[in-house]
Structures are given as C-alpha cells and as structure tokens.
Amino acid sequence: MLIALICTDKPDHLETRKANRDAHVAYLKSSGCVVQAGPFLDESGDMYGSLVVLDLPDMNAAHAWAAADPYAKAGLFSEVRLEQWNKVIG
C-alpha cells in the first residue's frame, strides 16, 4: 500500500528541522519503505514541511513509522496527514 505522509512544520521551527535533518534522512534511508521523499520549500527556498511516500502493509504501520521519525520526535510538525495514495504516472 502506498501512503503519502504530508507534514507541515510549526512556525519558526526551521532550526529544529536543521538540527534533526541528519537523523531524519538516516531514518528515511534505513527504514526500507520510503519510495520518495523531500521537503516543501517556501518562496525564500527555506524548508517548511515534508512529503514522504511510504510503501507499507497498512495505515497502522504508516502511523507507527511517522511517530518514529526523528522530526516527529523533535516536535517539528504542526500538522501530519497520512493518506492512501494511488500511483498513476512515474
């Protein structure tokens, strides 16, 4: 099952994102279920959120994966959405 994890950072938390980025990227690479991932960028080119496409057996696994993300553990996000996603192109 493909699941889109869509996260929005809390305002003024860019330094929290930067401080936890290496751990977050290591988690993405080591988990074995990330299909695609990357940050959202504002007009200035600063990161303010994340999109991660996961390939997991079910939504429960996606919730567990998202909760274990170093960004989530650092309290970076103001909003987190998990949506089942259907790949059509790519």
Side-chain angles (χ1 to χ4, degrees):
M1 169 186 285
L2 293 176
I3 299 165
L5 170 63
I6 305 159
C7 304
T8 304
D9 295 359
K10 292 176 182 173
D12 301 317
H13 272 64
L14 182 57
E15 293 308 313
T16 301
R17 175 175 278 274
K18 289 179 179 178
N20 291 279
R21 185 167 171 74
D22 289 345
H24 166 73
V25 172
Y27 181 63
L28 294 176
K29 290 179 179 180
S30 69
S31 67
C33 63
V34 176
V35 176
Q36 292 184 328
F40 293 117
L41 305 175
D42 66 16
E43 309 81 40
S44 302
D46 289 328
M47 299 173 285
Y48 74 90
S50 300
L51 170 63
V52 181
V53 178
L54 302 165
D55 188 357
L56 290 167
D58 55 42
M59 199 60 78
N60 287 335
H63 282 285
W65 189 96
D69 181 348
Y71 278 168
K73 289 182 174 184
L76 176 61
F77 302 127
S78 65
E79 181 181 5
V80 175
R81 289 178 38 211
L82 287 161
E83 302 283 345
Q84 187 173 349
W85 183 66
N86 183 36
K87 182 178 177 180
V88 175
I89 298 174

